Structure formats: C-alpha cells, structure tokens
Amino acid sequence: MSRQGIHRAPRRTLSRRYFLGLAALAAVPAGAATVQQLRSPETAAEATTSPGRVAETPAANPSADALPAGVAKGGGTVPFRNGKALLGAYLDLSGMTTAQAVALRRKQMGREERILHVFYDWDDQLPTKLTGIADHAFPMVSWRGTGYADIINGSHDALIKRAARRLKAQKRPVLLRWGWEMNGDWYGWSPARNGNSPDGFIESWKRLHGIFADEGADNVSWVWSPNWNSSPVADWNTFAALYPGDKYVDWVGVSGYNLHHETPDTIFGPIYRSYANHKPLMITEVGAVDNGGRTKADWIALLAQWVGNHPAVGAVVWFDTDTHPGYDEKWRLDTDGTSLAAYVALAKSARFSG
C-alpha cells in the first residue's frame, strides 16, 4: 500500500502544503492478492494496484550483526558514529508550523531532533536554507525522481545543476534521498515504470551524483533508500539489482511501517543483513499503527531493542504526522500517553544519542 505525503514547499506563499507521492507503507502479508494504492491529485496518474509484496531474503551472513571496522568511516558528510544513532523525524502536525512542531517535540522529549526530513518534487527549487532546524541537526531532503530517459539524455542537466548549487548553498552537511523506494511500482522513477530496467535507475543515480560532484556540492551525503520489500518481486527489482555501488552511496536507507504486526526484524532485517558489512544503515521512514491497548508503545520498545542489537544502524527517522488524507491511523508519535512515553524512553537512551 502506498501513501501520499505532504511537504512544505518553500516557494509557495498562499498555501505551503501540497500533495506529492511519498513512501510506501509496509506491505500486506505475503499471501494477499492486491494492495490498494492511495493517491493525491498530483500523483493519481502514477497509482496502480500492486501484487502482494514480500521481503527479500539475502544470502546467509551470520556475521552481519557484528559491526565491521570499516563501517565506522561511512556516512559521508553526515558521519556514522558507532553506538550513537541519530534520531529525527518528518514533522507535519495539524495546525502547526514546522518551528512549532519542532518546539513541541523538544519539550516532550527533552532533546532536539537530529534529522529533519523534508520532501520536494522533481522540478521544485531545493532549499538553500531550512527554517526551524537547529544548527547541529541535519536536513534530509527527499527529492522525487522522474523517468530515466529524461535524466540519461541530459535534457534535465540544468535542473540537476540548479539543485546541486542550492544544496551546496546550505553550507552544512545535507542528506539527499533521491528517488526513494525505487523497488516499488508506485512511483514514476521505479524500474517497473521504466521498462523493468534497473540499469536505467543506476545510470540516472550516477549521473546525478556526477553532476553534484562537478558543481562542488561536496556537503551532500547520498542516501539510497529502497522500500523494505519489493513490488513486483522479480530479479530486476531486488536490492542488489538496484544498488548503484559503494562509491555512489554514503548511507543505505530503508522505509518500513508496522501495519500488520510485523516485527522490526521482519521489516529491517533483510536489508541490514545485506549491507551492514560495508555501509551504515538509516531507517529513513518508520511508523506504527495503533491497534489498541499498548500495541503502538510495545512496538516502539521493540524497535528500540532491535536498533540496540544492530550496531550498523546509525539513524532512525520517524514519520511524525497527522495530516495524511484518507488514513484513520495517526502516525504522530504521541497518539496516546503510553506511545509517547515509549518514544521518549527511546529518545533519551544512550543508543539514540547521536
């Protein structure tokens, strides 16, 4: 099931919110026949029904949970620190500005967000400055993709150069998450929408990476961020088939949500075991449905425990919002007192003190 996100577009003055396709939610169980795709007016043309999705099963790697020495040097300009995960959020709370939402979370948690996650469309002007984010925090810019041909043939080079110059102008380390969830079929930059061509995605990624380098945007850390499972399940749509290579990736990210009582290891274990031996991991989007009682609080505690047992996880970014149209679930972390208490305990633990 995919969902539509809301981001605050700096260039809008009358209304700062508009819909764009955001990351896919965790899949229905593997035996399900279809997954309904929700869509906003901007992305209705991209929506389809998808077959049930299953997580990838990587080759056995019994040593993957142990932190290799080389990983500590990863992360690019946003360095990975062993045992100190960064904690952040996509923040969009009803009736609040970003600054107000950040202030609320600071009061509740007794600490600052270390990553502030924002979303932009392909032809948006990326920000030269983000308001409401502390000097010691890192922006993570999720930038939508487009069809591969428009990138590979050079017709969008000027747009890409502009984006590189604008992120360079931030004069601070920036996480760039371009073309996220490329292994799902709900976005126009997926191989499923581009002739089932993983090579096209990789060539597009490398072209962007090269243009940013040519423009001197060396403050950017590149976050390659698939969904936790693939749709469709095919050899050309696996993590391995879509990975641009260590030279072009600073962080391996992953989106995953607890919708159907999935454990954190069900969602995040496969990609961890595939990449933790050579790249730091970032949970770039995560949330949990409240199924009554302490279910949400208990899952947050399980997530904290799982991260504690997986040392290559260097960042966790909660999807903290209550503004999604068409969803009864509220993804914000304080839907009830027990959930907030569980998240505050996570936030105050040494493991999340990055």
Side-chain angles (χ1 to χ4, degrees):
M1 176 165 45
S2 72
R3 51 195 165 77
Q4 309 309 319
I6 300 170
H7 77 262
R8 301 182 185 279
R11 59 190 175 91
R12 309 295 170 106
T13 55
L14 179 61
S15 174
R16 299 180 69 198
R17 294 180 182 175
Y18 68 96
F19 300 119
L20 58 89
L22 191 59
L25 288 173
V28 297
T34 61
V35 179
Q36 182 181 4
Q37 304 259 35
L38 297 185
R39 56 193 181 277
S40 71
E42 283 192 310
T43 57
E46 295 183 358
T48 65
T49 55
S50 304
R53 292 173 270 147
V54 296
E56 293 185 45
T57 304
N61 185 359
S63 64
D65 288 359
L67 182 66
V71 172
K73 301 176 183 178
T77 60
V78 181
F80 170 81
R81 295 175 62 204
N82 185 11
K84 304 289 184 181
L86 299 163
L87 183 63
Y90 165 69
L91 268 171
D92 191 44
L93 303 182
S94 182
M96 294 187 183
T97 65
T98 298
Q100 290 170 335
V102 168
L104 173 64
R105 293 296 181 247
R106 182 189 306 118
K107 180 179 179 180
Q108 290 172 321
M109 296 190 298
R111 55 163 290 173
E112 296 279 359
E113 304 282 5
R114 291 288 278 126
I115 295 174
L116 190 64
H117 190 185
V118 293
F119 291 83
Y120 288 87
D121 211 343
W122 173 247
D123 58 358
D124 281 346
Q125 288 199 71
L126 298 190
T128 58
K129 184 177 181 180
L130 288 171
T131 59
I133 179 170
D135 290 340
H136 64 278
F138 300 108
M140 181 163 70
V141 176
S142 283
W143 186 25
R144 287 172 64 88
T146 187
Y148 304 157
D150 291 335
I151 296 175
I152 294 169
N153 67 19
S155 62
H156 284 199
D157 280 2
L159 183 154
I160 299 167
K161 290 178 182 178
R162 180 188 70 183
R165 290 192 295 267
R166 292 186 68 82
L167 291 189
K168 177 183 177 181
Q170 289 212 22
K171 297 181 179 179
R172 64 189 298 171
V174 178
L175 294 156
L176 178 60
R177 180 180 176 242
W178 177 78
W180 68 94
E181 295 177 15
M182 74 301 293
N183 61 325
D185 58 3
W186 44 86
Y187 287 139
W189 56 85
S190 66
R193 304 292 185 88
N194 291 266
N196 300 344
S197 171
D199 292 342
F201 174 81
I202 290 172
E203 187 174 353
S204 298
W205 180 283
K206 289 181 177 179
R207 188 176 186 90
L208 264 72
H209 194 280
I211 291 173
F212 271 64
D214 290 344
E215 293 296 323
D218 53 8
N219 60 316
V220 171
S221 281
W222 290 79
V223 183
W224 175 78
S225 184
N227 195 56
W228 73 276
N229 50 17
S230 296
S231 176
V233 177
D235 290 344
W236 50 264
N237 205 32
T238 63
F239 298 152
L242 291 161
Y243 187 61
D246 287 354
K247 178 180 177 181
Y248 304 95
V249 173
D250 296 306
W251 289 84
V252 167
V254 59
S255 300
Y257 290 76
N258 172 38
L259 284 177
H260 306 288
H261 306 283
E262 297 90 349
T263 67
D265 195 67
T266 295
I267 299 172
F268 305 120
I271 196 166
Y272 187 94
R273 289 183 283 273
S274 294
Y275 293 96
N277 61 351
H278 57 108
K279 284 292 173 181
L281 273 288
M282 177 184 300
I283 299 176
T284 51
E285 291 190 41
V286 62
V289 170
D290 187 344
N291 289 302
R294 289 187 50 87
T295 53
K296 186 170 182 175
D298 288 347
W299 196 88
I300 291 170
L302 284 175
L303 176 66
Q305 182 182 47
W306 187 88
V307 173
N309 292 332
H310 291 79
V313 176
V316 175
V317 183
W318 194 265
F319 192 72
D320 191 359
T321 183
D322 58 3
T323 63
H324 267 248
Y327 277 90
D328 294 331
E329 300 92 357
K330 303 299 183 185
W331 296 109
R332 58 188 294 164
L333 58 88
D334 57 353
T335 49
D336 62 80
T338 58
S339 297
L340 176 60
Y343 196 87
V344 170
L346 176 154
K348 289 186 175 180
S349 69
R351 181 67 177 91
F352 290 88
S353 60

